[in-house]
């Protein structure tokens, strides 16, 4: 097959590259930045997509960030590809800071107490909630009893505070990224247009010179 990988990756390698991309996060960041700048759309539409992606990365909707960012970008008439790529603002390096700051702010707004130990048990909380979801889904088709304890704890202590805090911090970070993106993308596109015009002018000049030489030879 034309698009089949020559080196088959194991499942563990695929998981590891989701956490730490091949070439490192610095290279991945520059690749995403380069791809966003080259998108065929006006700068303000691309920047709206960046806004949607960055804001979505502050939500606890893990596994749905791409879909959510695309829907937000569509509502804002932004670039959907830019929105999906901008969700990489949330990555294994930034997620701990995003999660802790969103949880702290969310608990403060809701008037509840933030448990500092939750930073270390965040993944276990997600795992417990996911375990309840799987068990309850199976209970729909069997005689098993549905359990909601871990889901309730997860919702009260993690999901709701995370969502509330993220909906405050996310738009702030997204606005900053929007206003940084517009001039950068505009400058890049203007330079690129200048280079393309210069190349076209050079090609035209070579063609004109070639035609002049042909006329001279015929004379």
């Amino acid at each position: 097959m034309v698009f089949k990988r020559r080196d088959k990756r194991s499942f563990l390698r695929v998981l590891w590259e989701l956490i730490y991309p091949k070439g490192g996060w610095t290279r991945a960041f520059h690749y995403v930045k380069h791809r966003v700048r080259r998108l065929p759309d006006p700068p303000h539409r691309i920047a709206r997509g960046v806004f949607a992606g960055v804001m979505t990365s502050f939500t606890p909707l893990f596994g749905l960030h791409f879909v959510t960012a695309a829907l937000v970008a569509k509502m804002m008439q932004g670039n959907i590809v830019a929105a999906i790529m901008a969700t990489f603002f949330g990555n294994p390096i930034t997620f701990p800071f995003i999660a802790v700051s969103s949880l702290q702010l969310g608990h403060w707004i809701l008037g509840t107490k933030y448990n500092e130990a939750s930073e270390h048990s965040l993944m276990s909380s997600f795992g417990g909630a996911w375990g309840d979801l799987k068990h309850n889904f199976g209970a729909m088709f069997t005689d098993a009893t549905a359990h909601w304890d871990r889901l309730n704890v997860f919702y009260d202590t993690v999901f709701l505070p995370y969502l509330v805090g993220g909906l405050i911090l996310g738009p702030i970070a997204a606005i900053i990224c929007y206003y940084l993106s517009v001039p950068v993308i505009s400058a890049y596109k203007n330079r690129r247009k200048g280079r393309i015009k210069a190349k076209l002018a050079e090609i035209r000049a070579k063609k004109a010179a070639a035609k002049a030489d042909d006329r001279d030879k015929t004379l």
Side-chain angles (χ1 to χ4, degrees), residues 34 65 84 94 128 143 146 167 179 194 196 201 210:
H34 178 71
H65 278 177
I84 292 173
T94 60
D143 295 332
L167 290 177
Y179 283 106
I196 292 173

Side-chain angles (χ1 to χ4, degrees), residues 151-199:
L151 273 170
N152 288 332
V153 171
F154 170 77
Y155 179 82
D156 292 333
T157 62
V158 177
F159 185 84
L160 183 59
Y162 196 137
L163 182 63
V164 172
L167 290 177
I168 301 296
L169 297 177
I172 294 173
I175 289 171
I176 294 172
C177 291
Y178 174 87
Y179 283 106
L180 290 176
S181 299
V182 172
V184 171
I185 296 171
S186 298
Y188 176 84
K189 286 185 175 293
N190 289 335
R191 285 200 305 270
R192 191 161 181 261
K193 285 180 182 178
R195 289 196 297 268
I196 292 173
K197 287 181 179 179
K199 287 182 179 179

